[in-house]
């Protein structure tokens, strides 16, 4: 029997909700500022998609941030500081999620088309279970409800390791893993999918690599939009395919399905 595409595993912020992936940036900058160290948006975005404690650890290890921390606090930051910032980050992120929980335009309809083709729908995230549960509740009201959704604590670790993708495959009862495609808006999403042996689609316009709300995106000139998309696509070049949004993945999914039937592998 010919292989075929059986499941699509989606990311959350920047891919299916929160156009521009703004919520993590707001919370992260807030907790660092409270500690007396300002973090640039570009620094915070460099590690988007990781489990949030790993994200904080990576930002603290940036040479500029570490030097600023040492200058202010008298010592380089270590694991104790990671834990302190993470404990403060969790309630800060939960508090701001209601402002960043809108499902991205076209996602419910796109997922409906995926289901009409027989695909099961999973999801992974860098958020904690409490954050994910809140987003799930809000997304259902807006017409988006994946069959399962996994966070790092469910699977024993986050991106770029493949554990959350593996857990999705188990919950969805889907194999082989090459019959799944991982869709996400960060390089860590792409690494996660590739490490799991899945096809990958990078999401450029609505995600972290452009980093703009829908309103701010439409305020850009045509030239500015073209340049922003080119930068995002370069950042996501490790993906098998790149799309501007989840709503524009139909032709790509059809192509993957054809390639699988012809014996191609990720």
């Amino acid at each position: 029997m010919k292989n075929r595409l059986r499941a699509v595993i989606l990311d959350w912020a920047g891919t299916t909700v929160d156009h521009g992936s703004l919520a993590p940036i707001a919370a992260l900058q807030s907790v660092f500022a409270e500690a007396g160290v300002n973090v640039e948006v570009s620094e915070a975005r460099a590690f988007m998609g990781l489990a949030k404690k790993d994200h904080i650890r990576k930002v603290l290890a940036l040479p500029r941030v570490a030097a600023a921390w040492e200058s202010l606090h008298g010592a380089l930051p270590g694991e104790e500081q990671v834990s302190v910032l993470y404990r403060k980050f969790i309630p800060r992120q939960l508090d701001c999620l209601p402002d960043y929980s809108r499902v991205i335009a076209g996602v419910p309809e796109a997922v409906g088309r995926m289901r009409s083709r027989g695909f099961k729908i999973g999801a992974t995230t860098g958020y904690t279970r409490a954050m994910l549960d809140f987003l799930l509740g809000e997304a259902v009201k807006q017409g988006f409800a994946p069959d399962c959704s996994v966070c790092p604590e469910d699977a024993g670790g986050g991106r770029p390791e493949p554990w959350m993708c593996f857990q999705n495959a188990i919950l969805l009862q889907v194999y082989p893993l090459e019959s799944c495609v991982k869709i996400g808006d960060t390089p860590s999403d792409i690494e996660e999918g590739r490490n799991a042996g899945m096809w990958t689609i990078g999401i450029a316009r609505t995600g972290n690599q452009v980093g703009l709300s829908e309103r701010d995106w439409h305020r850009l000139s045509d030239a500015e939009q073209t340049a922003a998309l080119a930068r995002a696509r370069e950042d996501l070049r490790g993906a098998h395919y790149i799309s501007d949004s989840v709503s524009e993945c139909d032709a790509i999914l059809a192509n993957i399905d054809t390639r699988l039937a012809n014996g191609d592998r990720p």
Side-chain angles (χ1 to χ4, degrees), residues 13 17-18 21-32 44-45 48-53 55-56 85-101 125-135:
V17 300
D18 186 14
S21 195
L22 302 176
I25 300 301
L28 197 72
Q29 286 186 306
S30 175
V31 295
F32 271 89
R45 287 199 178 279
M48 193 70 80
L50 299 179
K52 294 312 167 194
K53 191 169 188 178
H55 192 164
I56 290 168
L85 289 171
Y86 180 63
R87 285 197 297 271
K88 292 182 178 180
F89 171 85
I90 292 174
R92 202 74 50 90
Q93 182 72 95
L94 285 167
D95 286 345
C96 78
L97 276 181
D99 296 326
Y100 300 101
S101 58
T125 183
Y127 282 143
T128 65
R129 172 47 64 179
M131 298 169 194
L132 176 55
D133 284 345
F134 175 84
L135 284 178

Side-chain angles (χ1 to χ4, degrees), residues 150-158 162-168:
V150 177
C151 64
E153 62 205 82
D154 298 331
W163 317 131
M164 291 191 292
C165 283
F166 291 167
Q167 185 67 16
N168 267 271

Side-chain angles (χ1 to χ4, degrees), residues 50-72:
L50 299 179
K52 294 312 167 194
K53 191 169 188 178
D54 293 335
H55 192 164
I56 290 168
R57 185 179 291 110
K58 288 283 192 181
V59 172
L60 270 178
L62 288 169
R64 189 201 68 80
V65 175
W69 189 283
E70 183 179 26
S71 176
L72 180 65

Side-chain angles (χ1 to χ4, degrees), residues 6-229:
R6 292 176 169 83
V8 176
I9 299 175
L10 299 159
D11 172 54
W12 279 88
T15 301
T16 53
V17 300
D18 186 14
H19 195 293
S21 195
L22 302 176
I25 300 301
L28 197 72
Q29 286 186 306
S30 175
V31 295
F32 271 89
E34 190 177 87
V37 176
N38 291 324
V39 170
E40 301 294 333
V41 170
S42 60
E43 293 169 328
R45 287 199 178 279
F47 309 106
M48 193 70 80
L50 299 179
K52 294 312 167 194
K53 191 169 188 178
D54 293 335
H55 192 164
I56 290 168
R57 185 179 291 110
K58 288 283 192 181
V59 172
L60 270 178
L62 288 169
R64 189 201 68 80
V65 175
W69 189 283
E70 183 179 26
S71 176
L72 180 65
H73 297 286
L76 288 169
E79 279 302 303
E80 181 180 350
Q81 287 70 43
V82 172
S83 295
V84 169
L85 289 171
Y86 180 63
R87 285 197 297 271
K88 292 182 178 180
F89 171 85
I90 292 174
R92 202 74 50 90
Q93 182 72 95
L94 285 167
D95 286 345
C96 78
L97 276 181
D99 296 326
Y100 300 101
S101 58
R102 179 173 295 178
V103 172
I104 294 169
V107 166
E109 295 81 3
V111 170
R113 294 192 298 272
M114 293 173 194
R115 285 203 165 107
S116 72
R117 296 185 60 185
F119 303 156
K120 296 181 179 180
I121 308 298
T124 70
T125 183
Y127 282 143
T128 65
R129 172 47 64 179
M131 298 169 194
L132 176 55
D133 284 345
F134 175 84
L135 284 178
L136 277 165
E138 294 301 300
V140 168
K141 300 173 190 175
Q142 299 171 69
F144 171 52
D147 299 315
C148 68
S149 195
V150 177
C151 64
E153 62 205 82
D154 298 331
R159 302 166 184 147
E161 284 74 31
W163 317 131
M164 291 191 292
C165 283
F166 291 167
Q167 185 67 16
N168 267 271
I170 291 169
L171 293 171
L172 295 173
Q173 294 288 281
V174 171
Y175 76 96
L177 292 173
E178 64 206 31
S179 67
C180 303
V181 56
K182 171 65 202 299
I183 303 180
D185 63 295
T186 66
S188 63
D189 281 291
I190 304 311
E191 286 187 75
E192 175 190 33
R194 279 189 168 273
N195 288 338
M198 298 179 177
W199 300 91
T200 56
I201 303 174
I203 298 297
R205 190 188 71 238
T206 70
N208 177 71
Q209 307 311 121
V210 169
L212 294 174
S213 68
E214 186 174 15
R215 176 182 296 179
D216 287 342
W217 167 257
H218 287 299
R219 286 174 175 168
L220 297 181
S221 67
D222 288 348
E224 289 170 328
Q225 288 183 355
T226 298
L229 282 176

